[in-house]
Amino acid sequence: MTLPQPALFGSVDEVAERLAGVGYLASTAVATTVFLADRLGKPLLVEGPAGVGKTELAKAVAEATGSGLVRLQCYEGIDEARALYEWNHAKQLLRITAGQGRESWDETRDDVFSEEFLLPRPLLTAIRRTEPTVLLVDEIDKADVEVEGLLLEVLSDYQVTVPEMGTVHASRRPFVVLTSNSTRELSEALKRRCLFLHLDFPDADLERRIVLSRVPELPEALVDALVRTVRVLRGLELRKSPSVAETIDWGRTLLALGMDTLDADAVRATLGVVLKHRSDVDRAVRELKLD
């Protein structure tokens, strides 16, 4: 039987404080939802555009609580074998070949379908861990609905059945974070299973504090100009808006180049740090009148 995971956090304020201690500045809404996911033992589904800190939230929870991080990166075409487990077929074949003529098939079969030949993937790994664990299922919206169904089954009882070996029950429930960029609609069944959190780009004040916490050497006036410029870029219809991480990278770039102002020349020279498509760069140059 799955045991509830001992509480990782004692209060909402503690969540915010401990996340800040590892460099993740959480809003009250984020801290509250993380606290409730921990206290209620429910998976946390975090949706929002790319680059707003969804994955970083899971990493921060793991770091702040001293938990192991197990990550399942979803992609188009991922299957059960890559998510759950698979058998080491090459090693099994060698074992079968070595045993020919010296033992019965029943003996060989019992051996090749044993722990030695099992390759656990992230879901099984997280279920089997006895230490505090954060399971990050990243970009679940990129996976097929079959994988979503598998995940729903695993999260229902926190157990995995390996037909040749039996059912593996979690002795300690992991803290589960699922992220989605909303490229497709997730099933209502999965959403009902989770607490929901929508993350968007932070407001100017929060982003300013984030940059200052990560690049404290930057003058505050330069950080203000940087954040204002990034917010203008996000207001344009770009293929990819600058993420918070890219704002931080831009700040580090200006520091490395010894720039103390963000004038047109500085923006034009470093725009490739935050914009990664030629069409976006052209639009920014045009809209910001940098040419």
Side-chain angles (χ1 to χ4, degrees), residues 18-31:
R18 291 174 69 180
L19 291 182
V22 296
Y24 191 99
L25 301 184
S27 66
T28 300
V30 171

Side-chain angles (χ1 to χ4, degrees), residues 233-278:
L233 292 174
R234 289 184 187 141
L236 306 178
E237 295 183 0
L238 303 177
R239 288 181 60 185
K240 182 187 178 302
S241 293
S243 68
V244 177
E246 286 161 341
T247 305
I248 295 169
D249 286 343
W250 206 3
R252 288 173 175 156
T253 297
L254 299 176
L255 188 65
L257 294 174
M259 296 180 173
D260 54 9
T261 59
L262 195 63
D263 55 20
D265 290 338
V267 173
R268 187 167 51 248
T270 59
L271 202 53
V273 176
V274 289
L275 300 182
K276 307 303 170 63
H277 296 279
R278 176 62 184 272

